[in-house]
Amino acid sequence: MATPQGRAAVTWNRDGSIVEFILDRPPANALGPELIDGLHTAIDYAQAVDAKVIVVASAVDGFFAAGADIKHMSTVDSASFRRYGDALRGALERLGALPVISVAAVDGLALGGGLELAMACTLRVGAARARLGLPEVKLGLIPGAGGTQRLPRLVGRSRALDLMLTGRQVEADEAYWIGLIDRLAEPDTTARATAWQLARELAAASTPAQLAVVRTVDAAYDRPLADGLRYEADQIQDLFEQGEAVEGLRAFIDKRTPEFA
């Protein structure tokens, strides 16, 4: 694994086609302006090196990210509050829109904006001590960086309402059971190590096919079944004509590992 580059609120590692973002803003990785800027810089780097998979992890013990910067929000006027919210939303939406599969490694607290950051990733891995929640109602707010939109898509309306209306935290086992976490790390393994294992699996597959899977599954949430089935048919045809399907099929016949870009 390469040496971390940069020394800011977000640093990064690269191993082949995998880039790891490391949140490093003690004591709790609050998503203040420095960390938001760091995410943009790390995304710039991942795009520059044509990353296939991104892992988002933390260097701060006990925290993935504690949430938005409450101290910052408590000192600003309404215009500055909107600018801060737009900046946070912009970083998470940019991450979520990347044509790259991303994996959040949640080990410790992922609350508020921290959970919204994890939900902006394609997949989430959690360790035993992960605690996840959207406690904004306790501050007189709502999740404002995608939480009200992404959480129901992951866990369903009723469970999303339960979490957001109470502001309670869920432990790793419950998060896995309701679909908020996609993989649980083994008891003696960190979320970061498990995320890297998953990232290597993902990097070996065809990125165009993976992104088509994500698009097609997402389409199931906002299209009638008949429209979704047509969209699925269009996606697989495009992969055959313009993607990596021909190489994958030939490699299968030749009994060799496919050479995906």
Side-chain angles (χ1 to χ4, degrees):
M1 187 181 300
T3 303
Q5 301 298 310
R7 285 300 164 197
V10 180
T11 60
W12 56 85
N13 292 314
R14 180 187 176 194
D15 186 3
S17 61
I18 302 170
V19 173
E20 179 186 44
F21 299 171
I22 305 170
L23 312 181
D24 192 7
R25 191 188 175 217
N29 281 339
L31 296 170
E34 299 90 348
L35 205 149
I36 292 170
D37 290 344
L39 282 172
H40 280 295
T41 302
I43 291 170
D44 290 342
Y45 174 78
Q47 290 181 308
V49 300
D50 292 326
K52 289 186 66 172
V53 181
I54 291 171
V55 173
V56 183
S58 169
V60 178
D61 185 51
F63 291 90
F64 175 74
D69 193 330
I70 296 175
K71 289 183 179 179
H72 175 76
M73 290 192 298
S74 68
T75 63
V76 299
D77 59 18
S78 60
S80 296
F81 182 84
R82 179 175 290 278
R83 284 195 295 272
Y84 170 66
D86 288 345
L88 178 55
R89 284 186 287 271
L92 302 196
E93 289 168 11
R94 186 181 177 200
L95 175 63
L98 285 174
V100 173
I101 303 300
S102 53
V103 182
V106 180
D107 194 346
L109 294 175
L111 303 177
L115 178 52
E116 289 173 309
L117 170 58
M119 292 192 294
C121 294
T122 315
L123 297 168
R124 283 146 298 284
V125 170
R129 63 175 182 168
R131 301 290 184 274
L132 304 92
L134 294 172
E136 285 84 352
V137 292
K138 297 180 179 181
L139 301 174
L141 296 168
I142 66 170
T148 65
Q149 303 305 299
R150 290 193 172 98
L151 185 62
R153 286 169 167 80
L154 292 173
V155 305
R157 181 180 186 271
S158 62
R159 288 177 178 142
L161 285 174
D162 172 30
L163 293 180
M164 288 187 283
L165 292 177
T166 64
R168 71 183 182 92
Q169 297 177 23
V170 295
E171 298 184 358
D173 287 347
E174 182 180 358
Y176 179 67
W177 179 71
I178 66 176
L180 186 51
I181 285 176
D182 301 292
R183 289 197 184 187
L184 277 177
E186 295 296 327
D188 296 327
T189 306
T190 65
R192 186 177 177 186
T194 303
W196 268 95
Q197 180 182 12
L198 175 57
R200 292 187 177 99
E201 293 178 32
L202 294 165
S206 168
T207 297
Q210 290 171 328
L211 296 177
V213 166
V214 174
R215 288 193 300 271
T216 310
V217 169
D218 287 346
Y221 288 90
D222 56 17
R223 297 177 185 229
L225 177 59
D227 289 349
L229 292 172
R230 284 192 293 271
Y231 185 69
E232 177 187 83
D234 291 340
Q235 292 293 304
I236 194 169
Q237 186 67 27
D238 287 346
L239 289 170
F240 184 82
E241 295 177 1
Q242 303 177 36
E244 297 177 326
V246 172
E247 166 59 17
L249 294 168
R250 287 175 177 168
F252 181 84
I253 296 299
D254 295 342
K255 295 181 172 56
R256 60 177 174 81
T257 301
E259 297 179 4
F260 295 134

